[in-house]
Amino acid sequence: MNLKGRMWVIGGLFAFIAVVFIGRLAQLQLGSPEWTDYAARLTESRETLDAARGLIYDRNGQLLVTNQASYDLLYTPRLAREGMDTAAFAALLGWKREALEAAFAKADAYASYRPSIIVRQLPAAEYARISGELWRFPGVKERTRAVRSNQAGLAAQLIGSFGETSADDLKNDAFYRLGDYKGKSGLELQYERELRGRKGVRYHLVDVRNNYQLPLEGGRRDTLAVAGADLTLTLDRDLQAYAERLMAGKRGSVVAIEPATGEVLALVSAPTYDPDLLIGPKRSAHYDSLLHNPGQPLYNRALRGTYRPGSIFKMVQGLIALDEGAIRTNTRIPCDRNIIGCHGPHSYDNLSEAIVHSCNPYFHEVMKRMVQARRSNNLFEDAALGLGNWTERIKRFGFGTDLGGQLPGVRPGSVPDTTYYNGIYGQRSWAFSTIYSIAIGEGELLTTPLQMANLAATIGNRGWYRTPHAVRDVGGRGKPLGVDSLVTTGVDPELFDPVISAMQQVVEGVGGTGRRARTPGISICGKTGTVQNTNALEHSVFMAFAPMDNPQIALSVYVENAGSGGSWAAPIAAQLIESYLADSLSNPEREARILAARDPFPETP
Amino acid sequence: MSRRLQIRNRLDWFTMMLVAAIAVLGWLNIASATAGSEAVDWLTFDGKGGKQLLWLGVCTLIAFLVLNVEGEFFVRISILSYLSLLVVLAAVLVFGKVIGGARSWFAFGSFSLQPSEFAKSTTALMLAWLLSRGDGKLRDLKTRLQSIAIVGLPAGLVLLQPDAGTVLVFGGFVFALYREGLSGNVLVVAFAALVVAVATILSGAGTVAYPFFGPATGVYVLWAVLAGGGGLVLWFLVQSSLPRERKRLKRIGAVAILGALVFSGAMQFGLEKVLAKHQRERIHVLFGLDVGNPDADYNIRHAKAAIGSGGWSGKGYMNGPMTAYAFVPEQETDFIFCTVGEEWGFLGSTAVILLYLTLLLRLIYLAERQRSNFTRVYGYGVASVLFMHVLINVGMVLGLAPVIGIPLPLFSYGGSSLMGFTVLIFILLRLDAERFSVLR
Ligand SMILES: [Zn+2]
């Protein structure tokens, strides 16, 4: 037996094993990227740099909403496996031990190697108390988060709330990561893209304990966060604050607009709430209690409440009728109270007087002339054609529209048209006599407080308005394009004279329904309205603009279940106009009376 | 020519270069593996890189000393050194310090020594001594039993520590014995045993619902197949063979089947009753079996990730994050090859494998060029020990062998191991240098 030959067997085996190893190396290193990816998952960590959210200012540069630091506590189960004294940690937080253990178990079930939030939004003071102790609890780390703080506590519904992203948000926008915050309603939501800025990212190499080590690739892929754009609102902080103060204890709304620009100066829905209630760890509890509050503080009445316009609508009827040629400024119509009732000692008014007296038969006749204008010999067809024309003209005043939709959650109300009546009565089955209640602003007409304020601005401007909006500037780039489109009603400016003088009479005239709005030194033009309610006191409504010849402010005031328009809405409007236009308030008794008034209002004011 | 000069001229410088290259590469990788994100300070001996440098210096000195000892001396001390080491191995079981679950270390203050690293040299010397007596060939039963005892005694003591890796290394002496005449059937039987062992592990890990008996381990199916299937195959073989061959065939077949059954049964018993749960899990992980414990394959997944992420040319020296930030366990000792894989990539890792292969083949070449039987047997012993270390260590790191703690020779951090291999290899180099002058 030649044993020397066995060296080839042994050497061959050595070589064979070397080939196996090299093959395996090729498989691991040159094959699929599985192991490279796995190593990257282990050693690389992406840190998101949150951008500072844009601040919100009023029209004069006064701060409304700012950011405030709060702290989340994060817990990584894998890092806490050993040495977590649950009892001590629960005591530090002031929690029950079972609650903390349940939170830990939930985090563990989610992902043992990833941090989960166990405590949300500790205020700075609370964080300062416990921060010195946190090192004792492995796996617990803090994260700073900016939350919103509405400094003045104003315009809660308009500015809106800021809260944690929902599952839908995460699905629909790749910008958000679990636990991110965003605007949830109001302008915070509408201008979310501008306010949120751009996140930055930093890539780190991490060690086996997930601590950041060196920047990955020397930081070549890192990007800085870009702060969000600041918003400058059209709101006047002082006017808004005063309006909220006057509306305290009442249900209703105030909308004030600068007629020349369409800028919303104040927008109040009462009752309102402290916006900071919806920020912080107790957000959902507060949200629940607000949601179930009978005054519906979360509901923005100014933009979403719909009311029958009542006698204020008569001015629109008059203006369109003048423009259509159905009447002239001196046309008198007898107050024949057979078809429709009326109030007060008058019998044969012209347009101005009819507006001041709110004469129902007058406007019944006016609208009849517009609708049954003999466009057709068939009565029904004539009514359909007439109403079609009328609806178009009404909509040009902004009724039945969202007024450009620049305000968050704005609703259009409703203006009935031929389709609507065809649906109810059937085609060619109705005429003016069927639908006449809309002539005096009743029936199927529904308008919002915003539309009423806009009407005041339109009349003040003599025939045009700019779409109402609340944002003046985004990040120094000026007004967002298209927020203030010009809309004309098509009514000749000269035709506004009788209406405006009637509005002046409402306030200034002897026995005018809006006499409580009379203010020395300011010529206020206004119109009262009352919205009838079954089984409850009517809503008190007033719309006005001032001064008469170069209007600086137009507004509507609604006070629900408070009585006639002149009783509460008119004096509130006057206080607001005076506070906006004058240096000082002239009527402390009127202010005191308003401030003292509380819902529910007595039957007779 | 003076004798000293003669020795120097006949010294195998090529092997020395290979050894030095591997040791220096090892040191560089240890420095990287242990530096973390800190800048490396080469001159301090606080870090493991610095300590290994110190060990390299010590080992250079040891190599120099060994090369200056007459080859005859090593032959003479074979028995004494072997017996001494047996005593030391017994002593370490009593007085040793437990590190990593095994009582394998003597601690002297901050410094510890692992005697089993030196037992490999003494066992190789002892085996060489035995097989170079008389005609030395492994023909008679007595020599065979003596050889097995020489390897078995230290291996048994090491098994008691317990250090499974080193026991396997002692198993490598089978290559030396094979070269000296041990039947090739031994290798065949070893291969058959390996197949039965894998089948036992795989079937034993499964659960089968047996009729009448209900669910139980699947190893019973394997045993039924071994007995029934083996018997059937044997019956066909017997039927198709010549009548005079039949008796012998029956005997061999019966022994083979019975042996397989006994071996499989013993393995199953060992797996279930002797091994601890985590050891069983390591074996199951190796075979891709679900052990229901996500941490069980942590080490090996991280090792594979480190190596796999190296790609073609690696992340560059001191630039491997898996290595720098301690994702790989034992990365300066048993898992040092991960650092090579991550930082030097496929090219570097292949180069290291080829360095080892070159060294191993060179050792065979050295062994074969001897006139002295003693040196040849010793040379094969050295090659076998080195081969087993590389096989188990690299196999483990690449996920081809179970996780068994054993250093990569000359490469891993650790003084005992480095000194052990230095002594092992440089005795051979001294003996080789005397290949013309000594006839034993
Ligand atoms: Zn009348």
Side-chain angles (χ1 to χ4, degrees):
Chain A
M1 187 165 22
N2 181 10
L3 291 176
K4 200 173 171 65
R6 288 190 171 185
M7 76 173 185
W8 296 109
V9 177
I10 297 170
L13 179 69
F14 290 0
F16 170 72
I17 293 297
V19 168
V20 168
F21 283 172
I22 291 169
R24 176 67 164 180
L25 281 169
Q27 183 198 356
L28 291 177
Q29 298 183 308
L30 312 178
S32 79
E34 178 193 355
W35 293 109
T36 308
D37 294 347
Y38 183 63
R41 274 211 302 286
L42 289 172
T43 59
E44 295 172 12
S45 175
R46 196 189 129 99
E47 182 194 13
T48 303
L49 306 174
D50 287 329
R53 192 172 175 85
L55 306 182
I56 302 180
Y57 296 94
D58 92 332
R59 65 189 291 114
N60 301 314
Q62 302 210 64
L63 194 59
L64 291 174
V65 179
T66 182
N67 298 319
Q68 220 169 42
S70 79
Y71 301 84
D72 291 343
L73 294 186
L74 307 174
Y75 167 72
T76 311
R78 175 163 283 197
L79 300 180
R81 286 258 158 81
E82 287 146 29
M84 167 57 79
D85 185 345
T86 319
F89 192 44
L92 183 67
L93 293 176
W95 285 26
K96 282 212 174 77
R97 188 177 172 169
E98 297 75 43
L100 186 66
E101 274 166 1
F104 282 175
K106 202 176 151 203
D108 205 7
Y110 166 61
S112 66
Y113 54 91
R114 265 201 211 145
S116 298
I117 301 176
I118 44 164
V119 184
R120 272 169 214 285
Q121 297 189 17
L122 280 173
E126 175 71 3
Y127 174 72
R129 184 179 69 79
I130 66 167
S131 61
E133 299 292 312
L134 286 181
W135 63 269
R136 292 199 289 138
F137 306 102
V140 175
K141 219 164 52 173
E142 79 285 352
R143 179 173 71 185
T144 315
R145 173 200 294 293
V147 291
R148 292 300 246 184
S149 172
N150 190 320
Q151 298 268 293
L154 294 174
Q157 298 102 331
L158 176 65
I159 290 172
S161 62
F162 181 69
E164 191 164 344
T165 44
S166 66
D168 274 351
D169 295 328
L170 296 175
K171 204 175 66 193
N172 296 333
D173 190 338
F175 180 88
Y176 301 110
R177 294 278 171 271
L178 192 71
D180 277 359
Y181 277 48
K182 70 182 281 283
K184 301 295 275 185
S185 63
L187 295 171
E188 291 273 20
L189 173 62
Q190 193 179 351
Y191 286 89
E192 171 66 13
R193 279 181 173 280
E194 290 80 5
L195 286 167
R196 73 188 182 186
R198 216 165 55 224
K199 285 180 186 172
V201 64
R202 251 201 314 246
Y203 295 91
H204 301 271
L205 286 171
V206 294
D207 67 13
V208 73
R209 294 184 191 290
N210 212 29
N211 296 318
Y212 292 149
Q213 296 287 345
L214 296 175
L216 187 65
E217 294 172 28
R220 263 189 295 283
R221 281 155 65 200
D222 297 0
T223 55
L224 289 173
V226 178
D230 291 344
L231 286 190
T232 300
L233 303 189
T234 60
L235 294 185
D236 181 296
R237 179 171 146 164
D238 299 337
L239 185 66
Q240 176 77 23
Y242 190 47
E244 290 193 14
R245 191 165 153 238
L246 293 181
M247 291 302 288
K250 309 165 182 68
R251 278 177 290 114
S253 66
V254 171
V255 180
I257 295 174
E258 184 177 66
T261 58
E263 292 180 352
V264 174
L265 300 169
L267 195 138
V268 180
S269 176
T272 182
Y273 59 91
D274 177 2
D276 283 355
L277 286 180
L278 293 189
I279 283 163
K282 297 207 169 76
R283 176 184 201 270
S284 62
H286 288 149
Y287 184 83
D288 254 30
S289 88
L290 290 174
L291 195 64
H292 295 111
N293 184 318
Q296 292 181 281
L298 295 174
Y299 177 59
N300 193 340
R301 290 172 162 81
L303 303 178
R304 301 175 67 76
T306 53
Y307 306 86
R308 273 171 288 152
S311 51
I312 295 172
F313 196 70
K314 289 166 184 164
M315 297 187 294
V316 184
Q317 295 283 42
L319 287 165
I320 296 173
L322 286 173
D323 200 58
E324 291 278 309
I327 55 169
R328 282 189 289 182
T329 48
N330 55 3
T331 302
R332 287 181 182 275
I333 294 170
C335 182
D336 166 10
R337 305 184 182 183
N338 289 333
I339 303 171
I340 193 162
C342 200
H343 301 281
H346 60 271
S347 55
Y348 195 53
D349 283 351
N350 65 16
L351 177 59
S352 272
E353 292 160 355
I355 289 170
V356 174
H357 299 139
S358 209
C359 180
N360 289 339
Y362 187 95
F363 291 100
H364 176 271
E365 174 62 22
V366 162
M367 186 160 178
K368 186 179 173 185
R369 290 184 188 178
M370 284 192 282
V371 173
Q372 309 279 207
R374 301 208 171 264
R375 290 179 176 84
S376 162
N377 288 328
N378 179 298
L379 176 71
F380 301 117
E381 204 173 295
D382 186 39
L385 289 169
L387 186 79
N389 179 58
W390 179 86
T391 307
E392 286 311 307
R393 305 228 44 175
I394 293 294
K395 287 193 170 171
R396 292 182 71 173
F397 279 81
F399 295 107
T401 77
D402 61 5
L403 287 170
Q406 298 302 326
L407 294 165
V410 62
R411 272 198 189 155
S414 79
V415 175
D417 54 13
T418 52
T419 320
Y420 175 82
Y421 288 119
N422 286 343
I424 293 180
Y425 303 110
Q427 208 162 359
R428 292 171 175 245
S429 312
W430 54 272
F432 177 70
S433 53
T434 327
I435 62 167
Y436 67 84
S437 63
I438 59 172
I440 56 165
E442 302 293 333
E444 295 85 353
L445 267 170
L446 289 173
T447 60
T448 64
L450 176 69
Q451 287 168 342
M452 282 309 193
N454 191 58
L455 175 64
T458 309
I459 296 172
N461 289 338
R462 293 170 182 262
W464 57 268
Y465 68 91
R466 284 192 177 272
T467 48
H469 54 280
V471 174
R472 260 194 145 182
D473 180 272
V474 179
R477 294 187 298 273
K479 228 165 236 191
L481 212 63
V483 297
D484 59 347
S485 337
L486 182 72
V487 181
T488 53
T489 58
V491 176
D492 189 337
E494 288 178 8
L495 299 179
F496 281 79
D497 287 343
V499 174
I500 289 172
S501 72
M503 287 175 77
Q504 194 194 19
Q505 281 301 302
V506 167
V507 178
E508 305 287 345
V510 181
T513 52
R515 61 186 177 280
R516 280 198 162 112
R518 233 175 263 168
T519 302
I522 302 173
S523 54
I524 297 176
C525 300
K527 179 76 187 85
T528 56
T530 46
V531 179
Q532 305 294 327
N533 291 293
T534 43
N535 305 325
L537 213 53
E538 61 265 39
H539 300 327
S540 172
V541 183
F542 191 70
M543 56 82 89
F545 65 86
M548 185 167 85
D549 303 312
N550 174 25
Q552 300 297 308
I553 179 171
L555 76 175
S556 75
V557 176
Y558 279 67
V559 187
E560 291 185 3
N561 306 116
S564 68
S567 58
W568 294 105
I572 290 173
Q575 286 298 113
L576 291 171
I577 289 169
E578 188 175 31
S579 88
Y580 185 66
L581 295 179
D583 297 332
S584 59
L585 294 169
S586 62
N587 197 337
E589 296 82 13
R590 185 165 68 187
E591 184 186 56
R593 175 177 169 271
I594 295 165
L595 291 174
R598 285 282 180 280
D599 194 50
F601 287 81
E603 273 297 328
T604 42
Chain B
M1 192 163 30
S2 81
R3 181 155 167 76
R4 186 173 281 265
L5 200 63
Q6 207 174 43
I7 294 292
R8 190 194 296 167
N9 283 345
R10 288 180 182 163
L11 198 58
D12 188 48
W13 288 94
F14 181 58
T15 305
M16 279 186 46
M17 286 299 134
L18 284 173
V19 168
I22 292 173
V24 168
L25 282 177
W27 168 65
L28 287 172
N29 281 286
I30 290 162
S32 174
T34 54
S37 58
E38 309 297 316
V40 183
D41 190 349
W42 300 96
L43 294 176
T44 65
F45 297 119
D46 300 335
K48 288 186 168 169
K51 279 190 181 153
Q52 184 75 357
L53 189 59
L54 207 62
W55 284 120
L56 285 177
V58 170
C59 286
T60 309
L61 205 68
I62 289 173
F64 185 74
L65 289 175
V66 168
L67 288 178
N68 278 291
V69 174
E70 289 286 335
E72 185 61 26
F73 174 76
F74 297 114
V75 182
R76 291 238 176 96
I77 64 154
S78 294
I79 298 176
L80 185 65
S81 65
Y82 176 75
L83 292 177
S84 311
L85 247 296
L86 281 186
V87 172
V88 173
L89 283 177
V92 83
L93 290 175
V94 182
F95 306 110
K97 184 181 159 197
V98 177
I99 294 179
R103 194 176 290 280
S104 348
W105 297 80
F106 279 122
F108 311 98
S110 66
F111 169 82
S112 22
L113 262 184
Q114 196 178 9
S116 57
E117 294 294 348
F118 301 93
K120 294 162 197 165
S121 305
T122 59
T123 305
L125 285 173
M126 186 66 205
L127 203 60
W129 181 85
L130 175 76
L131 297 180
S132 57
R133 297 300 97 186
D135 74 344
K137 296 302 172 218
L138 273 168
R139 298 244 167 74
D140 57 304
L141 187 63
K142 192 180 157 210
T143 318
R144 283 189 205 177
L145 290 178
Q146 281 172 335
S147 310
I148 290 169
I150 285 171
V151 177
L153 277 173
L157 287 169
V158 170
L159 187 62
L160 292 175
Q161 291 179 354
D163 179 354
T166 306
V167 173
L168 285 173
V169 169
F170 278 100
F173 281 111
V174 76
F175 297 116
L177 295 175
Y178 169 72
R179 169 61 184 83
E180 296 308 311
L182 189 72
S183 163
N185 289 341
V186 172
L187 296 181
V188 172
V189 169
F191 182 72
L194 195 69
V195 171
V196 171
V198 171
T200 306
I201 291 165
L202 290 179
S203 61
T207 303
V208 174
Y210 294 97
F212 311 120
F213 297 101
T217 167
V219 82
Y220 300 130
V221 174
L222 175 71
W223 293 344
V225 168
L226 275 178
L232 214 62
V233 169
L234 183 61
W235 184 76
F236 273 114
L237 283 174
V238 169
Q239 294 308 310
S240 59
S241 62
L242 299 169
R244 58 186 164 88
E245 295 275 315
R246 282 184 185 168
K247 197 172 174 196
R248 203 172 87 93
L249 201 60
K250 274 182 195 166
R251 212 173 60 223
I252 293 174
V255 166
I257 293 169
L258 218 64
L261 281 172
V262 168
F263 176 66
S264 178
M267 260 210 69
Q268 176 69 8
F269 180 80
L271 278 171
E272 294 298 325
K273 306 286 183 217
V274 179
L275 289 190
K277 185 168 175 288
H278 73 274
Q279 290 171 317
R280 191 162 53 246
E281 278 180 352
R282 282 181 188 176
I283 293 174
H284 285 173
V285 164
L286 175 71
F287 290 99
L289 299 169
D290 182 15
V291 296
N293 174 3
D295 288 339
D297 63 349
Y298 173 92
N299 290 0
I300 205 65
R301 283 189 72 79
H302 282 201
K304 284 189 198 170
I307 293 171
S309 65
W312 261 107
S313 53
K315 302 221 161 136
Y317 186 56
M318 294 268 175
N319 264 333
M322 292 285 291
T323 302
Y325 301 130
F327 283 93
V328 180
E330 318 263 343
Q331 55 189 349
E332 74 281 10
T333 56
D334 297 344
F335 282 85
I336 189 68
F337 195 70
C338 293
T339 308
V340 181
E342 185 181 25
E343 298 191 342
W344 303 92
F346 178 72
L347 297 177
S349 317
T350 303
V352 170
I353 301 270
L354 291 178
L355 265 180
Y356 276 110
L357 178 63
T358 312
L359 176 63
L360 287 169
L361 296 179
R362 181 71 183 178
L363 290 176
I364 291 177
Y365 169 76
L366 293 189
E368 289 293 348
R369 76 179 178 186
Q370 305 303 322
R371 279 182 271 172
S372 152
N373 286 344
F374 182 91
T375 309
R376 184 182 66 243
V377 176
Y378 183 76
Y380 268 100
V382 173
S384 304
V385 167
L386 276 173
F387 171 68
M388 289 307 283
H389 267 272
V390 175
L391 178 73
I392 296 168
N393 180 283
V394 179
M396 160 187 83
V397 170
L398 294 180
L400 296 171
V403 177
I404 295 171
I406 187 172
L408 189 59
L410 303 167
F411 209 99
S412 290
Y413 172 76
S416 291
S417 159
L418 193 63
M419 282 196 289
F421 284 111
T422 306
V423 171
L424 186 71
I425 292 168
F426 278 83
I427 289 176
L428 177 65
L429 290 179
R430 168 73 204 201
L431 292 172
D432 174 65
E434 294 181 33
R435 62 188 177 277
F436 299 115
S437 50
V438 187
L439 253 177
R440 261 175 227 104

